[in-house]
Amino acid sequence: MAGPIKHIVFDIGKVLIHYDPNLPFSRVIPDAEERAWFFANVCTHEWNLEQDRGRSWSDAEALLIGTFPEREEQIRAFRKYWPEMVPYAYEDSVKIMEGLIEEGRDVTMLTNFAADTFRHAREMYPFLNKPRGVTVSGEIALIKPDREIYEKHARDFGLEPPSTIFIDDSLANVEGARAAGWQAVHFTDAAKLKTDLASFGIAT
């Protein structure tokens, strides 16, 4: 292992706040089989990821409505009801992050997030303003797990990659951080995070 950890970088979705598009869509498309088809074929994960990369919602909606005009209302519902997809914070994870900040640790965030929905998330969850800063994929047209986004975050915030630990719920993003020379741990819950951080000499 590298030397002592000087920098701690948190992902946001499914690490600090819950995210589940099924929450509003269980009302928009009540039939479970139809809803699964919709997410597999219309508002797919890959389609949504392009908003995280910086594509505007109007362009994203127009693209799908051109192909699925009969689904226009449901397509527009994705952005319209987005706040319902992030209904609560993971308080135990937030407590760990806030404790590290209060202790004087250098904490930043690196997230795949559309620029406008992230602004909304900051209003909904003020603790997102507590770390030293954040890199938002949708604001810079780079996305995890591409190496460039980790390198830009390190440059912008003066991080030493071998002394940086990254926390993400996506294994691909964890591996992306490691490929950029960072330490990284896979988030599943706060208890495991405490254990993982302790293994790097970080008490929580």
Side-chain angles (χ1 to χ4, degrees), residues 99-134:
L100 292 167
I101 294 168
E102 288 164 12
E103 197 180 290
R105 296 273 187 177
D106 181 39
V107 176
T108 57
M109 301 179 297
L110 171 58
T111 184
N112 284 352
F113 227 114
D116 66 324
T117 51
F118 184 69
R119 288 193 294 272
H120 197 158
R122 276 187 135 158
E123 294 168 3
M124 293 172 70
Y125 298 108
F127 63 79
L128 293 175
N129 299 299
K130 290 188 176 182
R132 179 161 67 97
V134 59

PDB file of all heavy atoms in Angstrom, residues 99-134:
ATOM      1  N   GLY A  99     -18.016  13.564   9.642  1.00  0.00           N
ATOM      2  CA  GLY A  99     -17.036  13.355  10.711  1.00  0.00           C
ATOM      3  C   GLY A  99     -15.610  13.541  10.211  1.00  0.00           C
ATOM      4  O   GLY A  99     -14.761  14.128  10.909  1.00  0.00           O
ATOM      5  N   LEU A 100     -15.331  13.069   9.007  1.00  0.00           N
ATOM      6  CA  LEU A 100     -13.998  13.230   8.418  1.00  0.00           C
ATOM      7  C   LEU A 100     -13.686  14.699   8.166  1.00  0.00           C
ATOM      8  O   LEU A 100     -12.568  15.162   8.407  1.00  0.00           O
ATOM      9  CB  LEU A 100     -13.910  12.441   7.105  1.00  0.00           C
ATOM     10  CG  LEU A 100     -13.957  10.914   7.251  1.00  0.00           C
ATOM     11  CD1 LEU A 100     -14.189  10.257   5.898  1.00  0.00           C
ATOM     12  CD2 LEU A 100     -12.668  10.381   7.889  1.00  0.00           C
ATOM     13  N   ILE A 101     -14.691  15.447   7.705  1.00  0.00           N
ATOM     14  CA  ILE A 101     -14.507  16.877   7.462  1.00  0.00           C
ATOM     15  C   ILE A 101     -14.245  17.603   8.781  1.00  0.00           C
ATOM     16  O   ILE A 101     -13.325  18.424   8.885  1.00  0.00           O
ATOM     17  CB  ILE A 101     -15.740  17.470   6.742  1.00  0.00           C
ATOM     18  CG1 ILE A 101     -15.863  16.877   5.327  1.00  0.00           C
ATOM     19  CG2 ILE A 101     -15.651  18.991   6.669  1.00  0.00           C
ATOM     20  CD1 ILE A 101     -17.182  17.179   4.640  1.00  0.00           C
ATOM     21  N   GLU A 102     -15.050  17.277   9.793  1.00  0.00           N
ATOM     22  CA  GLU A 102     -14.889  17.927  11.106  1.00  0.00           C
ATOM     23  C   GLU A 102     -13.532  17.621  11.717  1.00  0.00           C
ATOM     24  O   GLU A 102     -12.971  18.433  12.466  1.00  0.00           O
ATOM     25  CB  GLU A 102     -16.017  17.480  12.036  1.00  0.00           C
ATOM     26  CG  GLU A 102     -17.373  18.080  11.675  1.00  0.00           C
ATOM     27  CD  GLU A 102     -18.543  17.353  12.333  1.00  0.00           C
ATOM     28  OE1 GLU A 102     -18.290  16.531  13.239  1.00  0.00           O
ATOM     29  OE2 GLU A 102     -19.701  17.603  11.923  1.00  0.00           O
ATOM     30  N   GLU A 103     -12.993  16.453  11.383  1.00  0.00           N
ATOM     31  CA  GLU A 103     -11.694  16.029  11.891  1.00  0.00           C
ATOM     32  C   GLU A 103     -10.545  16.762  11.185  1.00  0.00           C
ATOM     33  O   GLU A 103      -9.390  16.672  11.590  1.00  0.00           O
ATOM     34  CB  GLU A 103     -11.572  14.523  11.628  1.00  0.00           C
ATOM     35  CG  GLU A 103     -10.527  13.777  12.389  1.00  0.00           C
ATOM     36  CD  GLU A 103     -10.563  12.300  11.980  1.00  0.00           C
ATOM     37  OE1 GLU A 103     -11.544  11.620  12.327  1.00  0.00           O
ATOM     38  OE2 GLU A 103      -9.622  11.859  11.306  1.00  0.00           O
ATOM     39  N   GLY A 104     -10.884  17.473  10.105  1.00  0.00           N
ATOM     40  CA  GLY A 104      -9.864  18.202   9.365  1.00  0.00           C
ATOM     41  C   GLY A 104      -9.314  17.458   8.162  1.00  0.00           C
ATOM     42  O   GLY A 104      -8.324  17.886   7.558  1.00  0.00           O
ATOM     43  N   ARG A 105      -9.953  16.346   7.805  1.00  0.00           N
ATOM     44  CA  ARG A 105      -9.517  15.585   6.625  1.00  0.00           C
ATOM     45  C   ARG A 105      -9.888  16.348   5.351  1.00  0.00           C
ATOM     46  O   ARG A 105     -10.850  17.111   5.320  1.00  0.00           O
ATOM     47  CB  ARG A 105     -10.208  14.219   6.606  1.00  0.00           C
ATOM     48  CG  ARG A 105      -9.836  13.321   7.764  1.00  0.00           C
ATOM     49  CD  ARG A 105      -8.598  12.532   7.447  1.00  0.00           C
ATOM     50  NE  ARG A 105      -8.291  11.529   8.469  1.00  0.00           N
ATOM     51  CZ  ARG A 105      -7.286  10.682   8.377  1.00  0.00           C
ATOM     52  NH1 ARG A 105      -6.499  10.707   7.314  1.00  0.00           N
ATOM     53  NH2 ARG A 105      -7.060   9.814   9.343  1.00  0.00           N
ATOM     54  N   ASP A 106      -9.112  16.104   4.299  1.00  0.00           N
ATOM     55  CA  ASP A 106      -9.392  16.729   3.013  1.00  0.00           C
ATOM     56  C   ASP A 106     -10.399  15.855   2.264  1.00  0.00           C
ATOM     57  O   ASP A 106     -10.062  14.770   1.786  1.00  0.00           O
ATOM     58  CB  ASP A 106      -8.107  16.883   2.192  1.00  0.00           C
ATOM     59  CG  ASP A 106      -8.382  17.547   0.860  1.00  0.00           C
ATOM     60  OD1 ASP A 106      -9.203  18.475   0.826  1.00  0.00           O
ATOM     61  OD2 ASP A 106      -7.783  17.127  -0.156  1.00  0.00           O
ATOM     62  N   VAL A 107     -11.631  16.347   2.162  1.00  0.00           N
ATOM     63  CA  VAL A 107     -12.712  15.577   1.542  1.00  0.00           C
ATOM     64  C   VAL A 107     -13.248  16.338   0.326  1.00  0.00           C
ATOM     65  O   VAL A 107     -13.591  17.520   0.412  1.00  0.00           O
ATOM     66  CB  VAL A 107     -13.862  15.321   2.540  1.00  0.00           C
ATOM     67  CG1 VAL A 107     -15.024  14.608   1.856  1.00  0.00           C
ATOM     68  CG2 VAL A 107     -13.360  14.509   3.735  1.00  0.00           C
ATOM     69  N   THR A 108     -13.292  15.635  -0.807  1.00  0.00           N
ATOM     70  CA  THR A 108     -13.929  16.164  -2.009  1.00  0.00           C
ATOM     71  C   THR A 108     -14.876  15.108  -2.555  1.00  0.00           C
ATOM     72  O   THR A 108     -14.940  13.994  -2.026  1.00  0.00           O
ATOM     73  CB  THR A 108     -12.885  16.541  -3.085  1.00  0.00           C
ATOM     74  OG1 THR A 108     -12.088  15.395  -3.386  1.00  0.00           O
ATOM     75  CG2 THR A 108     -11.989  17.693  -2.625  1.00  0.00           C
ATOM     76  N   MET A 109     -15.599  15.462  -3.624  1.00  0.00           N
ATOM     77  CA  MET A 109     -16.542  14.523  -4.229  1.00  0.00           C
ATOM     78  C   MET A 109     -16.314  14.472  -5.734  1.00  0.00           C
ATOM     79  O   MET A 109     -15.947  15.478  -6.351  1.00  0.00           O
ATOM     80  CB  MET A 109     -17.986  14.952  -3.940  1.00  0.00           C
ATOM     81  CG  MET A 109     -18.326  15.037  -2.461  1.00  0.00           C
ATOM     82  SD  MET A 109     -20.047  15.587  -2.127  1.00  0.00           S
ATOM     83  CE  MET A 109     -20.015  17.246  -2.835  1.00  0.00           C
ATOM     84  N   LEU A 110     -16.545  13.306  -6.307  1.00  0.00           N
ATOM     85  CA  LEU A 110     -16.414  13.086  -7.755  1.00  0.00           C
ATOM     86  C   LEU A 110     -17.621  12.276  -8.192  1.00  0.00           C
ATOM     87  O   LEU A 110     -17.796  11.134  -7.767  1.00  0.00           O
ATOM     88  CB  LEU A 110     -15.115  12.338  -8.052  1.00  0.00           C
ATOM     89  CG  LEU A 110     -14.900  11.834  -9.480  1.00  0.00           C
ATOM     90  CD1 LEU A 110     -14.959  12.974 -10.485  1.00  0.00           C
ATOM     91  CD2 LEU A 110     -13.570  11.097  -9.579  1.00  0.00           C
ATOM     92  N   THR A 111     -18.466  12.869  -9.037  1.00  0.00           N
ATOM     93  CA  THR A 111     -19.754  12.245  -9.314  1.00  0.00           C
ATOM     94  C   THR A 111     -20.131  12.283 -10.782  1.00  0.00           C
ATOM     95  O   THR A 111     -19.844  13.258 -11.481  1.00  0.00           O
ATOM     96  CB  THR A 111     -20.859  12.934  -8.483  1.00  0.00           C
ATOM     97  OG1 THR A 111     -22.106  12.270  -8.686  1.00  0.00           O
ATOM     98  CG2 THR A 111     -21.015  14.402  -8.845  1.00  0.00           C
ATOM     99  N   ASN A 112     -20.767  11.211 -11.242  1.00  0.00           N
ATOM    100  CA  ASN A 112     -21.455  11.222 -12.526  1.00  0.00           C
ATOM    101  C   ASN A 112     -22.852  11.763 -12.259  1.00  0.00           C
ATOM    102  O   ASN A 112     -23.683  11.087 -11.626  1.00  0.00           O
ATOM    103  CB  ASN A 112     -21.552   9.810 -13.113  1.00  0.00           C
ATOM    104  CG  ASN A 112     -20.243   9.331 -13.704  1.00  0.00           C
ATOM    105  OD1 ASN A 112     -19.287  10.084 -13.822  1.00  0.00           O
ATOM    106  ND2 ASN A 112     -20.201   8.061 -14.086  1.00  0.00           N
ATOM    107  N   PHE A 113     -23.114  12.971 -12.742  1.00  0.00           N
ATOM    108  CA  PHE A 113     -24.370  13.654 -12.426  1.00  0.00           C
ATOM    109  C   PHE A 113     -24.624  14.682 -13.515  1.00  0.00           C
ATOM    110  O   PHE A 113     -23.689  15.367 -13.940  1.00  0.00           O
ATOM    111  CB  PHE A 113     -24.229  14.393 -11.085  1.00  0.00           C
ATOM    112  CG  PHE A 113     -25.347  14.220 -10.103  1.00  0.00           C
ATOM    113  CD1 PHE A 113     -25.140  13.548  -8.899  1.00  0.00           C
ATOM    114  CD2 PHE A 113     -26.601  14.764 -10.345  1.00  0.00           C
ATOM    115  CE1 PHE A 113     -26.154  13.400  -7.959  1.00  0.00           C
ATOM    116  CE2 PHE A 113     -27.626  14.622  -9.419  1.00  0.00           C
ATOM    117  CZ  PHE A 113     -27.409  13.934  -8.222  1.00  0.00           C
ATOM    118  N   ALA A 114     -25.853  14.800 -13.975  1.00  0.00           N
ATOM    119  CA  ALA A 114     -26.202  15.883 -14.890  1.00  0.00           C
ATOM    120  C   ALA A 114     -26.053  17.213 -14.147  1.00  0.00           C
ATOM    121  O   ALA A 114     -26.325  17.303 -12.948  1.00  0.00           O
ATOM    122  CB  ALA A 114     -27.629  15.714 -15.404  1.00  0.00           C
ATOM    123  N   ALA A 115     -25.620  18.243 -14.857  1.00  0.00           N
ATOM    124  CA  ALA A 115     -25.321  19.516 -14.196  1.00  0.00           C
ATOM    125  C   ALA A 115     -26.538  20.109 -13.499  1.00  0.00           C
ATOM    126  O   ALA A 115     -26.453  20.566 -12.352  1.00  0.00           O
ATOM    127  CB  ALA A 115     -24.763  20.505 -15.213  1.00  0.00           C
ATOM    128  N   ASP A 116     -27.708  20.098 -14.164  1.00  0.00           N
ATOM    129  CA  ASP A 116     -28.874  20.761 -13.575  1.00  0.00           C
ATOM    130  C   ASP A 116     -29.462  19.956 -12.419  1.00  0.00           C
ATOM    131  O   ASP A 116     -29.881  20.534 -11.415  1.00  0.00           O
ATOM    132  CB  ASP A 116     -29.933  21.056 -14.633  1.00  0.00           C
ATOM    133  CG  ASP A 116     -30.559  19.805 -15.220  1.00  0.00           C
ATOM    134  OD1 ASP A 116     -29.842  18.805 -15.379  1.00  0.00           O
ATOM    135  OD2 ASP A 116     -31.775  19.814 -15.518  1.00  0.00           O
ATOM    136  N   THR A 117     -29.474  18.630 -12.543  1.00  0.00           N
ATOM    137  CA  THR A 117     -30.013  17.846 -11.429  1.00  0.00           C
ATOM    138  C   THR A 117     -29.074  17.895 -10.229  1.00  0.00           C
ATOM    139  O   THR A 117     -29.528  17.815  -9.089  1.00  0.00           O
ATOM    140  CB  THR A 117     -30.292  16.387 -11.839  1.00  0.00           C
ATOM    141  OG1 THR A 117     -29.140  15.832 -12.469  1.00  0.00           O
ATOM    142  CG2 THR A 117     -31.480  16.297 -12.778  1.00  0.00           C
ATOM    143  N   PHE A 118     -27.775  18.079 -10.461  1.00  0.00           N
ATOM    144  CA  PHE A 118     -26.880  18.212  -9.315  1.00  0.00           C
ATOM    145  C   PHE A 118     -27.142  19.508  -8.559  1.00  0.00           C
ATOM    146  O   PHE A 118     -27.113  19.531  -7.321  1.00  0.00           O
ATOM    147  CB  PHE A 118     -25.408  18.132  -9.729  1.00  0.00           C
ATOM    148  CG  PHE A 118     -24.492  18.180  -8.545  1.00  0.00           C
ATOM    149  CD1 PHE A 118     -24.440  17.116  -7.653  1.00  0.00           C
ATOM    150  CD2 PHE A 118     -23.727  19.305  -8.265  1.00  0.00           C
ATOM    151  CE1 PHE A 118     -23.636  17.162  -6.519  1.00  0.00           C
ATOM    152  CE2 PHE A 118     -22.917  19.356  -7.146  1.00  0.00           C
ATOM    153  CZ  PHE A 118     -22.869  18.282  -6.277  1.00  0.00           C
ATOM    154  N   ARG A 119     -27.417  20.576  -9.286  1.00  0.00           N
ATOM    155  CA  ARG A 119     -27.762  21.830  -8.599  1.00  0.00           C
ATOM    156  C   ARG A 119     -28.995  21.624  -7.725  1.00  0.00           C
ATOM    157  O   ARG A 119     -29.065  22.126  -6.595  1.00  0.00           O
ATOM    158  CB  ARG A 119     -28.004  22.945  -9.632  1.00  0.00           C
ATOM    159  CG  ARG A 119     -26.738  23.448 -10.306  1.00  0.00           C
ATOM    160  CD  ARG A 119     -26.988  24.740 -11.075  1.00  0.00           C
ATOM    161  NE  ARG A 119     -27.882  24.547 -12.211  1.00  0.00           N
ATOM    162  CZ  ARG A 119     -27.476  24.190 -13.429  1.00  0.00           C
ATOM    163  NH1 ARG A 119     -26.182  23.980 -13.662  1.00  0.00           N
ATOM    164  NH2 ARG A 119     -28.348  24.054 -14.411  1.00  0.00           N
ATOM    165  N   HIS A 120     -29.946  20.880  -8.240  1.00  0.00           N
ATOM    166  CA  HIS A 120     -31.158  20.579  -7.477  1.00  0.00           C
ATOM    167  C   HIS A 120     -30.819  19.715  -6.259  1.00  0.00           C
ATOM    168  O   HIS A 120     -31.317  19.943  -5.150  1.00  0.00           O
ATOM    169  CB  HIS A 120     -32.154  19.851  -8.388  1.00  0.00           C
ATOM    170  CG  HIS A 120     -33.548  19.854  -7.870  1.00  0.00           C
ATOM    171  ND1 HIS A 120     -34.649  19.672  -8.658  1.00  0.00           N
ATOM    172  CD2 HIS A 120     -34.040  20.009  -6.605  1.00  0.00           C
ATOM    173  CE1 HIS A 120     -35.744  19.713  -7.926  1.00  0.00           C
ATOM    174  NE2 HIS A 120     -35.397  19.909  -6.672  1.00  0.00           N
ATOM    175  N   ALA A 121     -29.944  18.726  -6.455  1.00  0.00           N
ATOM    176  CA  ALA A 121     -29.549  17.851  -5.346  1.00  0.00           C
ATOM    177  C   ALA A 121     -28.893  18.646  -4.226  1.00  0.00           C
ATOM    178  O   ALA A 121     -29.112  18.372  -3.038  1.00  0.00           O
ATOM    179  CB  ALA A 121     -28.599  16.768  -5.851  1.00  0.00           C
ATOM    180  N   ARG A 122     -28.088  19.634  -4.576  1.00  0.00           N
ATOM    181  CA  ARG A 122     -27.430  20.465  -3.552  1.00  0.00           C
ATOM    182  C   ARG A 122     -28.448  21.240  -2.721  1.00  0.00           C
ATOM    183  O   ARG A 122     -28.227  21.488  -1.530  1.00  0.00           O
ATOM    184  CB  ARG A 122     -26.462  21.445  -4.216  1.00  0.00           C
ATOM    185  CG  ARG A 122     -25.108  20.862  -4.518  1.00  0.00           C
ATOM    186  CD  ARG A 122     -24.167  21.935  -5.020  1.00  0.00           C
ATOM    187  NE  ARG A 122     -22.875  21.810  -4.362  1.00  0.00           N
ATOM    188  CZ  ARG A 122     -21.749  22.301  -4.869  1.00  0.00           C
ATOM    189  NH1 ARG A 122     -21.759  22.955  -6.016  1.00  0.00           N
ATOM    190  NH2 ARG A 122     -20.611  22.163  -4.223  1.00  0.00           N
ATOM    191  N   GLU A 123     -29.540  21.645  -3.368  1.00  0.00           N
ATOM    192  CA  GLU A 123     -30.590  22.348  -2.634  1.00  0.00           C
ATOM    193  C   GLU A 123     -31.332  21.378  -1.713  1.00  0.00           C
ATOM    194  O   GLU A 123     -31.682  21.727  -0.577  1.00  0.00           O
ATOM    195  CB  GLU A 123     -31.576  22.989  -3.613  1.00  0.00           C
ATOM    196  CG  GLU A 123     -30.958  24.104  -4.447  1.00  0.00           C
ATOM    197  CD  GLU A 123     -31.864  24.527  -5.598  1.00  0.00           C
ATOM    198  OE1 GLU A 123     -32.995  23.991  -5.693  1.00  0.00           O
ATOM    199  OE2 GLU A 123     -31.434  25.383  -6.395  1.00  0.00           O
ATOM    200  N   MET A 124     -31.543  20.163  -2.206  1.00  0.00           N
ATOM    201  CA  MET A 124     -32.261  19.155  -1.418  1.00  0.00           C
ATOM    202  C   MET A 124     -31.423  18.651  -0.253  1.00  0.00           C
ATOM    203  O   MET A 124     -31.958  18.362   0.828  1.00  0.00           O
ATOM    204  CB  MET A 124     -32.642  17.971  -2.311  1.00  0.00           C
ATOM    205  CG  MET A 124     -33.663  18.289  -3.386  1.00  0.00           C
ATOM    206  SD  MET A 124     -33.897  16.902  -4.551  1.00  0.00           S
ATOM    207  CE  MET A 124     -34.732  15.692  -3.504  1.00  0.00           C
ATOM    208  N   TYR A 125     -30.105  18.545  -0.475  1.00  0.00           N
ATOM    209  CA  TYR A 125     -29.209  17.938   0.510  1.00  0.00           C
ATOM    210  C   TYR A 125     -28.023  18.874   0.775  1.00  0.00           C
ATOM    211  O   TYR A 125     -26.977  18.768   0.137  1.00  0.00           O
ATOM    212  CB  TYR A 125     -28.721  16.574   0.018  1.00  0.00           C
ATOM    213  CG  TYR A 125     -29.849  15.592  -0.184  1.00  0.00           C
ATOM    214  CD1 TYR A 125     -30.257  15.216  -1.464  1.00  0.00           C
ATOM    215  CD2 TYR A 125     -30.533  15.065   0.909  1.00  0.00           C
ATOM    216  CE1 TYR A 125     -31.315  14.330  -1.642  1.00  0.00           C
ATOM    217  CE2 TYR A 125     -31.589  14.190   0.734  1.00  0.00           C
ATOM    218  CZ  TYR A 125     -31.976  13.826  -0.543  1.00  0.00           C
ATOM    219  OH  TYR A 125     -33.033  12.961  -0.714  1.00  0.00           O
ATOM    220  N   PRO A 126     -28.180  19.822   1.720  1.00  0.00           N
ATOM    221  CA  PRO A 126     -27.145  20.822   1.975  1.00  0.00           C
ATOM    222  C   PRO A 126     -25.781  20.241   2.364  1.00  0.00           C
ATOM    223  O   PRO A 126     -24.755  20.906   2.184  1.00  0.00           O
ATOM    224  CB  PRO A 126     -27.732  21.657   3.117  1.00  0.00           C
ATOM    225  CG  PRO A 126     -29.216  21.495   2.974  1.00  0.00           C
ATOM    226  CD  PRO A 126     -29.403  20.091   2.485  1.00  0.00           C
ATOM    227  N   PHE A 127     -25.746  18.997   2.872  1.00  0.00           N
ATOM    228  CA  PHE A 127     -24.441  18.420   3.241  1.00  0.00           C
ATOM    229  C   PHE A 127     -23.539  18.256   2.019  1.00  0.00           C
ATOM    230  O   PHE A 127     -22.325  18.120   2.163  1.00  0.00           O
ATOM    231  CB  PHE A 127     -24.618  17.079   3.970  1.00  0.00           C
ATOM    232  CG  PHE A 127     -25.267  15.999   3.159  1.00  0.00           C
ATOM    233  CD1 PHE A 127     -24.551  15.278   2.218  1.00  0.00           C
ATOM    234  CD2 PHE A 127     -26.612  15.688   3.346  1.00  0.00           C
ATOM    235  CE1 PHE A 127     -25.152  14.276   1.475  1.00  0.00           C
ATOM    236  CE2 PHE A 127     -27.222  14.686   2.608  1.00  0.00           C
ATOM    237  CZ  PHE A 127     -26.489  13.989   1.659  1.00  0.00           C
ATOM    238  N   LEU A 128     -24.110  18.284   0.820  1.00  0.00           N
ATOM    239  CA  LEU A 128     -23.288  18.186  -0.393  1.00  0.00           C
ATOM    240  C   LEU A 128     -22.423  19.431  -0.586  1.00  0.00           C
ATOM    241  O   LEU A 128     -21.523  19.444  -1.426  1.00  0.00           O
ATOM    242  CB  LEU A 128     -24.176  17.969  -1.625  1.00  0.00           C
ATOM    243  CG  LEU A 128     -24.909  16.624  -1.685  1.00  0.00           C
ATOM    244  CD1 LEU A 128     -25.842  16.577  -2.884  1.00  0.00           C
ATOM    245  CD2 LEU A 128     -23.914  15.457  -1.739  1.00  0.00           C
ATOM    246  N   ASN A 129     -22.701  20.475   0.194  1.00  0.00           N
ATOM    247  CA  ASN A 129     -21.889  21.691   0.124  1.00  0.00           C
ATOM    248  C   ASN A 129     -20.752  21.697   1.142  1.00  0.00           C
ATOM    249  O   ASN A 129     -19.955  22.630   1.171  1.00  0.00           O
ATOM    250  CB  ASN A 129     -22.780  22.920   0.345  1.00  0.00           C
ATOM    251  CG  ASN A 129     -23.851  23.042  -0.720  1.00  0.00           C
ATOM    252  OD1 ASN A 129     -23.555  23.171  -1.903  1.00  0.00           O
ATOM    253  ND2 ASN A 129     -25.115  22.966  -0.308  1.00  0.00           N
ATOM    254  N   LYS A 130     -20.657  20.672   1.967  1.00  0.00           N
ATOM    255  CA  LYS A 130     -19.663  20.672   3.048  1.00  0.00           C
ATOM    256  C   LYS A 130     -18.254  20.289   2.611  1.00  0.00           C
ATOM    257  O   LYS A 130     -17.280  20.835   3.138  1.00  0.00           O
ATOM    258  CB  LYS A 130     -20.127  19.755   4.188  1.00  0.00           C
ATOM    259  CG  LYS A 130     -21.329  20.310   4.947  1.00  0.00           C
ATOM    260  CD  LYS A 130     -21.642  19.480   6.184  1.00  0.00           C
ATOM    261  CE  LYS A 130     -22.776  20.112   6.989  1.00  0.00           C
ATOM    262  NZ  LYS A 130     -23.051  19.344   8.230  1.00  0.00           N
ATOM    263  N   PRO A 131     -18.065  19.332   1.674  1.00  0.00           N
ATOM    264  CA  PRO A 131     -16.704  19.011   1.260  1.00  0.00           C
ATOM    265  C   PRO A 131     -16.007  20.210   0.604  1.00  0.00           C
ATOM    266  O   PRO A 131     -16.662  21.191   0.217  1.00  0.00           O
ATOM    267  CB  PRO A 131     -16.898  17.863   0.256  1.00  0.00           C
ATOM    268  CG  PRO A 131     -18.191  17.245   0.668  1.00  0.00           C
ATOM    269  CD  PRO A 131     -19.035  18.398   1.097  1.00  0.00           C
ATOM    270  N   ARG A 132     -14.686  20.102   0.432  1.00  0.00           N
ATOM    271  CA  ARG A 132     -13.898  21.200  -0.135  1.00  0.00           C
ATOM    272  C   ARG A 132     -14.327  21.535  -1.552  1.00  0.00           C
ATOM    273  O   ARG A 132     -14.197  22.681  -1.997  1.00  0.00           O
ATOM    274  CB  ARG A 132     -12.406  20.825  -0.105  1.00  0.00           C
ATOM    275  CG  ARG A 132     -11.486  21.890  -0.691  1.00  0.00           C
ATOM    276  CD  ARG A 132     -10.062  21.696  -0.226  1.00  0.00           C
ATOM    277  NE  ARG A 132      -9.435  20.490  -0.745  1.00  0.00           N
ATOM    278  CZ  ARG A 132      -8.636  20.465  -1.825  1.00  0.00           C
ATOM    279  NH1 ARG A 132      -8.426  21.572  -2.529  1.00  0.00           N
ATOM    280  NH2 ARG A 132      -8.071  19.339  -2.207  1.00  0.00           N
ATOM    281  N   GLY A 133     -14.851  20.561  -2.275  1.00  0.00           N
ATOM    282  CA  GLY A 133     -15.285  20.815  -3.640  1.00  0.00           C
ATOM    283  C   GLY A 133     -15.786  19.542  -4.289  1.00  0.00           C
ATOM    284  O   GLY A 133     -15.767  18.467  -3.687  1.00  0.00           O
ATOM    285  N   VAL A 134     -16.222  19.681  -5.541  1.00  0.00           N
ATOM    286  CA  VAL A 134     -16.797  18.549  -6.253  1.00  0.00           C
ATOM    287  C   VAL A 134     -16.497  18.673  -7.741  1.00  0.00           C
ATOM    288  O   VAL A 134     -16.467  19.780  -8.281  1.00  0.00           O
ATOM    289  CB  VAL A 134     -18.330  18.466  -6.016  1.00  0.00           C
ATOM    290  CG1 VAL A 134     -19.033  19.736  -6.472  1.00  0.00           C
ATOM    291  CG2 VAL A 134     -18.938  17.246  -6.710  1.00  0.00           C
TER     292      VAL A 134
END
